[in-house]
Amino acid sequence: MSRIGKLPVNLPAAVSVTIGEGNVVKVKGPLGELTQKVDPDIKVSVDAGVLTVKRPTDQPRHRSMHGLYRALINNMVIGVSEGFTVEQQFVGVGYHVAVNGQTVIFNLGFSHEIHFQLPAEIKAEAPAVKKGQNPVLIMKSHDKQLLGMVAAKVRSLRKPEPYKGKGIKFVGEQLRRKAGKSASAK
């Protein structure tokens, strides 16, 4: 049995789950609503505030989908009840970030500003920065998959480089640094 798949998903009081036509799971909570189509072989059931996911056989295909769909549904429940947050730090001289509604404006050392349009499900803020600190962009959403995709797209605008560590990184991320040319010379 899958260790992840066999774990039950406890539903908070404010969250409701419905399983519709075609094995579509809808999760509704105070922060929003999410849907996920589940493979027809996998059985999803809700009983007394506990959601369980079951598989019909021990085929490798069923085993892999068992844990996958349980994790996706669990992330949906957490998202509509608590939400997810991603913080990104901008390391580099002259790097700035500003939020104007659903548009994020980046100054990343290029000759021009980059205007990035956020999806409606994501809320962003860029707190004021004190002198000597790096700017931070905080994004919040109830959809973990969408938030991760947008955060990866923002990071791809200026990936951290291994020599000086300049670029866009996640807060708390440990970068693998390399010694420069002068470090190996004797």
Side-chain angles (χ1 to χ4, degrees):
M1 221 34 188
S2 167
R3 291 183 188 173
I4 300 296
K6 69 181 177 183
L7 293 173
V9 177
N10 295 320
L11 302 176
V15 175
S16 66
V17 175
T18 57
I19 298 136
E21 185 88 17
N23 221 11
V24 175
V25 177
K26 251 186 201 183
V27 180
K28 195 172 195 174
L31 297 181
E33 182 178 330
L34 294 170
T35 60
Q36 174 67 47
K37 183 167 178 20
V38 178
D39 190 273
D41 291 344
I42 303 297
K43 302 295 176 222
V44 181
S45 60
V46 179
D47 187 35
V50 176
L51 184 137
T52 54
V53 180
K54 297 196 179 186
R55 65 177 187 228
T57 66
D58 273 343
Q59 293 177 3
R61 180 175 165 275
H62 288 153
R63 288 199 326 241
S64 64
M65 288 190 303
H66 187 210
L68 168 74
Y69 284 120
R70 189 266 176 201
L72 290 175
I73 293 170
N74 187 50
N75 286 340
M76 290 165 51
V77 170
I78 293 170
V80 298
S81 60
E82 302 167 19
F84 294 100
T85 303
V86 168
E87 295 182 12
Q88 291 181 312
Q89 188 174 32
F90 295 75
V91 181
V93 176
Y95 286 16
H96 296 289
V97 61
V99 178
N100 185 8
Q102 286 299 104
T103 304
V104 183
I105 303 161
F106 300 107
N107 283 329
L108 301 174
F110 298 118
S111 62
H112 59 281
E113 292 180 336
I114 298 172
H115 294 263
F116 188 85
Q117 188 68 32
L118 291 173
E121 295 88 0
I122 295 180
K123 304 293 177 230
E125 61 181 271
V129 180
K130 295 179 185 172
K131 189 172 182 169
Q133 289 184 335
N134 294 319
V136 175
L137 176 67
I138 301 169
M139 293 186 288
K140 298 179 182 180
S141 179
H142 64 278
D143 191 346
K144 187 175 185 179
Q145 292 178 11
L146 180 66
L147 185 63
M149 285 174 30
V150 170
K153 180 66 178 169
V154 168
R155 187 175 193 264
S156 73
L157 296 174
R158 187 69 108 164
K159 286 188 178 176
E161 54 97 12
Y163 296 102
K164 292 182 180 177
K166 290 172 44 173
I168 302 172
K169 66 176 198 153
F170 294 102
V171 171
E173 178 183 10
Q174 295 293 320
L175 298 175
R176 201 175 101 212
R177 300 290 296 271
K178 291 182 178 179
K181 214 158 115 178
S182 61
S184 63
K186 290 188 179 186

